[in-house]
Amino acid sequence: MPKQLAERVASLKPSATVEMTERVRAARASGRQIIPLSSGDPNIETDARIVAAAERAMRAGETHYGPAQGLPRLREAIVRREALRSGALYDPADIIVTPGGKFALLTALMGTVEAGDEVLVPEPGWVSYGPCVRLCGGVPVSLPMLDTIEEESLERLVSPRTKALIMNSPVNPTGRVFSMDEIARAVAFAERHDLWIVFDQVYSDLLHEGRFPAAQSVPDAQARVLVVDSLSKTFGMTGWRLGSLALPKGTAKAILKFIQHSIYCVPGFIQEAAIEALSLYDELVPGYRRMFRQRLELASRRLSAVDGIRCRPPEATFYLFPSIEADDVEVARRWLEEIDVATLPGSSFGPAGARHLRLSLTCPQADLEEALDRISRVGVAA
Ligand code: PMP
Ligand code: GLU
């Protein structure tokens, strides 16, 4: 092998969520019937009309390079959706279409983080935040926020090198939704220290109650907020890879150069499918949301009855993050080995997640009920 691989990949931690999904896939392929409560991939079949829109576009020749920023009609639909959800008003010129929310996050960080810059990263938090900061040459600094965003922690961890704050609401892995008050205080902190805010709202359509509090709807905040969004979770479209970034005025032109020089554009037929999906929002999404809420309530009830597990249904998402009176890595390992139920240890989302497990309620209902029966039988005690 010539020379060495770059440190940026050699030193990177693998994605715990992706690796577990691949482990489960391999075990199932070899005949082991593991029930996956591990991956945040909703078991929703993409609606036939969305698939048909992609097919139509392919047949009509949308198989070439397209505008790097994304189709204007899709960017307009994203702007309309954003106005309805958060009340924040954008110009389609400030939207960039990306292959999934993950690439929207990387694009946002590529656009704001210089080598050596520190970025405050929520903990417990999604496994890709720290690695994406590192890929941009930045230094992730863990910000504990199991229950709330503490102003004291923010002020203690900020330094002259801090460039940005990543916020995620609703939160993966806890399903928490930050209140407008918590968000406004975090925005005020960012203003005091002149930081960018990367606001990841990929679960905002899976809010089970009330209106969604968003950083970009705080007065005057839009100029420092980069909004990461995705169709993955909303429509069961994880494999389509369709996400977006809503940007502060005047920044899209420069950030777009990263898109031009990397992916160039998202395939046009995928974007046509996204336009169709957004047009079906009112028809499809309330039903998906109801299904997840019922699962969260059922699973919380069943798990709360198990000795050593404490659990309540979160305000959003399809994730449960019960606290357990045991070592989370050990319990996740035992459930996988002994009862064929795959979950993720809370500590995969950072040390602050220890003594919790993340359960993604995204498998068929009958499998979920079977998994809950098995968990109730073995519990968490060694
Ligand atoms: N943000 C969070 C918090 C997530 O959990 C995910 C899950 N994959 C993403 C962003 C990115 O999702 P996608 O790339 O599928 O849009
Ligand atoms: N975000 C999902 C999860 O946390 C999917 C996997 C990933 O992209 O990390 O399970």
Side-chain angles (χ1 to χ4, degrees):
M1 202 160 54
K3 304 210 169 141
Q4 276 179 338
L5 288 175
E7 185 61 15
R8 82 172 67 81
V9 290
S11 65
L12 214 57
K13 226 165 116 184
S15 162
T17 50
V18 173
E19 293 232 315
M20 179 56 90
T21 303
E22 281 167 9
R23 230 173 119 185
V24 170
R25 190 179 293 127
R28 284 171 77 97
S30 69
R32 210 175 132 200
Q33 285 314 307
I34 292 179
I35 301 177
L37 301 183
S38 41
S39 176
D41 189 351
N43 65 317
I44 298 169
E45 259 186 50
T46 307
D47 189 272
R49 289 163 290 181
I50 301 174
V51 176
E55 250 176 42
R56 261 195 321 275
M58 270 191 265
R59 290 188 204 289
E62 277 208 51
T63 50
H64 293 266
Y65 295 134
Q69 194 163 352
L71 297 178
R73 279 183 302 116
L74 176 56
R75 288 186 280 122
E76 283 157 17
I78 290 169
V79 164
R80 282 195 299 275
R81 174 79 210 112
E82 183 54 34
L84 283 174
R85 183 174 34 199
S86 72
L89 301 180
Y90 282 91
D91 189 312
D94 301 321
I95 307 293
I96 296 180
V97 177
T98 62
K102 203 176 289 201
F103 204 78
L105 170 76
L106 184 64
T107 304
L109 293 168
M110 278 297 223
T112 51
V113 175
E114 308 272 7
D117 282 350
E118 292 175 4
V119 178
L120 296 171
V121 172
E123 192 196 304
W126 181 41
V127 296
S128 288
Y129 292 135
C132 283
V133 169
R134 285 192 197 283
L135 285 171
C136 299
V139 181
V141 175
S142 290
L143 175 66
M145 52 164 96
L146 182 58
D147 296 314
T148 183
I149 313 171
E150 312 247 351
E151 251 171 306
E152 182 270 323
S153 314
L154 287 168
E155 292 296 349
R156 180 167 44 81
L157 292 167
V158 73
S159 86
R161 300 269 9 197
T162 310
K163 190 68 170 292
L165 161 69
I166 297 181
M167 287 182 78
N168 169 220
S169 182
V171 178
N172 178 5
T174 63
R176 259 221 69 184
V177 179
F178 289 113
S179 68
M180 204 62 233
D181 188 49
E182 287 169 296
I183 289 179
R185 277 187 276 121
V187 168
F189 160 81
E191 275 165 4
R192 274 198 304 283
H193 296 276
D194 198 18
L195 308 179
W196 296 104
I197 296 176
V198 177
F199 188 70
D200 178 347
Q201 58 177 26
V202 306
Y203 296 96
S204 55
D205 289 324
L206 299 180
L207 196 70
H208 300 309
E209 246 167 60
R211 200 174 157 79
F212 175 58
Q216 62 276 20
S217 55
V218 174
D220 302 326
Q222 231 165 308
R224 65 177 67 250
V225 178
L226 297 88
V227 185
V228 170
D229 214 334
S230 166
L231 294 199
S232 284
K233 317 289 171 171
T234 310
F235 293 98
M237 289 179 69
T238 53
W240 294 76
R241 313 307 299 129
L242 200 293
S244 63
L245 256 183
L247 294 166
K249 209 151 255 343
T251 62
K253 196 167 171 223
I255 293 177
L256 191 58
K257 288 182 274 180
F258 173 59
I259 300 285
Q260 291 178 346
H261 289 301
S262 55
I263 58 140
Y264 185 167
C265 64
V266 172
F269 56 90
I270 304 279
Q271 297 190 62
E272 291 291 350
I275 293 170
E276 181 72 10
L278 288 170
S279 78
L280 295 170
Y281 184 93
D282 289 337
E283 189 182 326
L284 296 176
V285 181
Y288 299 152
R289 214 183 273 140
R290 245 187 332 271
M291 175 179 77
F292 290 129
R293 184 178 195 169
Q294 281 164 3
R295 286 184 193 171
L296 288 168
E297 283 168 359
L298 165 79
S300 294
R301 221 172 30 248
R302 296 282 315 272
L303 291 174
S304 299
V306 178
D307 259 0
I309 301 187
R310 274 209 319 269
C311 190
R312 60 187 151 85
E315 303 129 286
T317 75
F318 37 66
Y319 296 124
L320 271 185
F321 201 63
S323 72
I324 56 167
E325 287 167 16
D327 181 86
D328 52 310
V329 175
E330 180 52 23
V331 173
R333 189 196 62 74
R334 272 208 305 115
W335 286 3
L336 183 61
E337 297 306 320
E338 293 170 16
I339 57 171
D340 282 346
V341 173
T343 60
L344 282 164
S347 50
S348 300
F349 301 86
R355 293 178 85 78
H356 292 76
L357 291 171
R358 193 194 75 171
L359 281 63
S360 179
L361 308 186
T362 44
C363 62
Q365 184 76 15
D367 290 354
L368 173 61
E369 289 179 21
E370 172 62 27
L372 293 168
D373 286 345
R374 293 184 198 171
I375 291 171
S376 305
R377 233 174 18 244
V378 302
V380 297

